[in-house]
Amino acid sequence: MDILKVNNVSKRYTNHVALDDVSLSVPEGSIYGLLGPNGAGKTTLIRIINHITAPDSGSVEFLGHPLTADDVVNIGYLPEERGLYKKMRVGDQALFFARLKGLKTKEATAELRKWFDRFGISDWWNRKVEELSKGMAQKVQFIVTVLHRPKLLIFDEPFSGFDPINADLLKNEILRLRDEGATVIFSTHNMDSVETLCDNITLINRSHNILSGNVTEIRQRMGRGRYRLSFEGDPQALLAALGDRVVDHTFEKEVNSPVTNARLLLQPDVTIRETISLANGSVDLVSFDRAMPSMNEIFIHTVKNNEQ
Amino acid sequence: MNNNLGIIVRREFMERVGKKSFIVTTLLMPLLMLLMMALPALIAIFSTPSDKTIAVCDQSGVVMPLLQDAGLDHLTFVTASAPADSAIHDSGYYGVLSIPTDIVARPSSAMLFLHEGGSVETESAIRNLIKEAVRDQRMKAYDINNLQQILDETNVEVSLQTIRVDETGAGEATSSALSFGIGMFMTFLLYMFLLMYGQLVMTSIIEEKNNRVLELVVSSVKPIHLMLGKIFGVGLVAVVQIVIWGALLCAMSAFLLPLLIPAEVGQQVAMFDTGSLSAGTDTLDPDLLNAISLFSSVGYIAKLFGFILIFLIGGFLFYASIFAAIGSAVDNVQDASQLTSFAILPIIVGLIVGMTAGSDPNSTLAFWTSVIPFTSPMVMLMRVPFGIPSWEIWLALGLLYLSFLGMVWIAAKIYRIGIFMYGKKPSLRDLIRWARYK
């Protein structure tokens, strides 16, 4: 079942169109990547999902009904640009945000204690926020976002400002929340984390949805006809054997060994079996692999194609 | 969701009231004001001028006796042992006063020689004494019998008791000078509060926007609730401060003032209150009695603070909405300065018109400016102590609170757009355009 459905949403500002007829569906219990270059309209879409701004046209469905203001207690949003009240104590501040999300003071305090213990920051409770470093404040913001056990979590660049150790801690927390049943929408420019975390993605460019789907499927589809192989022998012999099946190729000879590494793009209807037998007749194969394009390549390739 | 408004108000309120600076200013401010009022008296008590001796060469012989009898503090006159031009070299004297023989005919011919810079006080004392001596001499020349007695009998002090008769016909002792003073105090207090707390709303919105905590809050709270919460929270702080000051003043009037007033003054005040103060009896100035009478009345002080409160709340809500809209639109206080003049200017105009209204509280200008929302809080508070028909007060209040509703509606529309605008410094035209968005 889809926890969130965005149907043909458009949003215009005075001087530009932020979103033009964007649709997407987020399956419950998955991690969904919302990708796109800066200024593509991601933040506007996230604000619409958070009921902060209203779309000019189109609709948003949440848990099967049209999104209303009351739904925000079931959503947790960690904005890209985020801050805290500097003069407030950490504990008071976390309680303030928890109560805004509808928690009673008592249960909020108990939950907060648990989270503070888990993150090893229990002794921060009475410290003022201005005494915290950026990374420390980010931890508090993360807790505030997830404390009320929202069904839908939206993270906008959650890892920026975290050191690798804390980024890893955060990643594991996000996966744990997903395993406990939460759905996560994840907006980032870090494509490595998209590959490891996201089940599905939508790529937005110039206010349009230009690519949507399952990450593995997209990579396989985009990777059709791409192979990575290593061999000993003459690269030209290999090319001659494969003939006009080759669309594109690169060779790279290893410095202190007879091995050459190659990347090939073949015609889509060429099978693996056929390729291997033809290659084996001309050179000595060391390894052969289907090359999946990285999300990074897909991002750049798709956006560039879209701009043309 | 309205529950969230309460949570926001609470946070805004606690953040400010919990601060040491709030507690300190709230308690120290009245003390400071008392000290300012008492300062002139304290200075007079503690600053003792140095003793001065002036040698006098009185060739007329009519001024010296008066100078010697004058008995001025710190100023002694001795007959000079030498003529003026040589006595001046004797540095034992502060100065030498030379009175020519024909001083009665030419009163401006007296001369004072000093070794150092003179003092206004000394010079005016000497001038007055010479004047008195010359006048005495000239009057004596008319040779009238019992002159001194006639003069004493004709020299009278007059004071005026003003009774204002209200709609019911009951008389109440008033004094325009006193009403002016009280009105001035209230108007200025309100002016101060509107500027201070209005700008506090603005700067704290700018701060929220700058440090991006706003992005986190608006995902749980509607922008209008956030804005209202800020306005109400800060307003509540102002109200608490006024209530504390009012209570302090009432307590002073109930417990401290009776201890400070001497018994016979107290009796006169009591007689003044009952109207049994018969004319002709030798009493204190009625203005002073009136002032003491008013300030000993806890009810009167409470009533004044009641007026301050209702106009403060109305005026604050009205102006804070404007300040909030401005704060939401800009990124920093510097960018705000141009726009804030639209809010600050009417407040200042209100103060100025209020002050002039004190001299003629029932003029057409005073009436209109005290009902039109922009200036009404300040001007109306000035007019209140003079006693004006209550329908005027109700009209002003009604208009003020109604226009708050209108203003907050416009401000909320600007706010919800403004808080997401970064970078460009907005103009008034931008704000108007945002207010018109659907």
Side-chain angles (χ1 to χ4, degrees), chain B residues 41 52 78 95 119 122 139 157 215 260 270 280 283 324-325 362-363 373 375 403 409 411:
Chain B
K52 293 165 188 159
V78 295
S119 93
T122 315
M139 276 204 242
E157 293 282 340
E215 307 265 338
L260 291 176
T283 61
N362 292 311
S363 68
T375 51
S403 31
W409 184 70

Side-chain angles (χ1 to χ4, degrees), chain A residues 14 47 52 79 83-85, chain B residues 11 208 211 215-216 420 437:
Chain A
T14 328
R47 280 188 180 148
I52 295 171
L84 294 168
Y85 289 107
Chain B
R11 199 204 76 80
E208 267 179 10
N211 92 46
E215 307 265 338
L216 223 52
F420 296 118
Y437 278 162

Side-chain angles (χ1 to χ4, degrees), chain B residues 72 125 128-129 134 144 256 303 336 380 386 391 427 429 437:
Chain B
L72 292 173
N128 282 336
L129 287 169
V134 171
I144 302 165
L256 201 61
K303 199 172 99 184
M380 194 46 104
F386 288 94
W391 68 265
S427 63
R429 186 176 297 176
Y437 278 162

Side-chain angles (χ1 to χ4, degrees), chain B residues 101-142:
Chain B
T101 40
D102 56 350
I103 184 74
V104 177
R106 295 193 304 126
S108 301
S109 58
M111 280 194 272
L112 179 65
F113 303 92
L114 296 177
H115 291 291
E116 45 191 291
S119 93
V120 180
E121 233 172 302
T122 315
E123 284 170 29
S124 85
I126 294 171
R127 203 164 47 234
N128 282 336
L129 287 169
I130 297 173
K131 187 171 142 192
E132 207 177 312
V134 171
R135 198 180 55 200
D136 280 0
Q137 288 305 313
R138 289 190 181 180
M139 276 204 242
K140 267 183 199 159
Y142 289 103

